[in-house]
């Protein structure tokens, strides 16, 4: 039971991470940042990769501890 809850939390964090990353990218694309850092695009890429791995970890946790 605890494994399923942890898996669902990981998936929820993954969804939030994807949402936050997409909102940041849209803001960057529209030019809402007056002086963006040169590290912004690698940061968004890394954030997407982390969200992807969180989703995989959540699904794996649910499958293993079901």
């Amino acid at each position: 039971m605890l494994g399923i809850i942890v898996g669902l939390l990981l998936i929820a964090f993954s969804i939030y991470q994807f949402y936050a990353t997409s909102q940041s990218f849209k803001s960057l694309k529209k030019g809402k940042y007056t002086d963006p850092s040169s590290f912004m695009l690698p940061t968004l890429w890394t954030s997407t990769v982390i969200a992807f791995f969180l989703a995989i970890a959540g699904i794996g946790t649910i499958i293993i501890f079901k």
Side-chain angles (χ1 to χ4, degrees), residues 2-17:
L2 183 64
I4 294 174
I5 293 172
V6 170
L8 291 175
L9 281 173
L10 287 172
I11 291 172
F13 287 144
S14 172
I15 291 169
Y16 174 73
Q17 188 73 29

Side-chain angles (χ1 to χ4, degrees), residues 23-55:
Q23 292 301 314
S24 294
F25 180 73
K26 288 176 186 177
S27 295
L28 181 66
K29 191 173 178 182
K30 289 182 181 179
K32 291 186 179 179
Y33 295 120
T34 57
D35 190 25
S37 171
S38 60
F39 295 108
M40 188 66 166
L41 290 178
T43 302
L44 291 173
W45 173 250
T46 304
S47 177
T48 303
V49 170
I50 289 171
F52 180 71
F53 283 121
L54 280 172

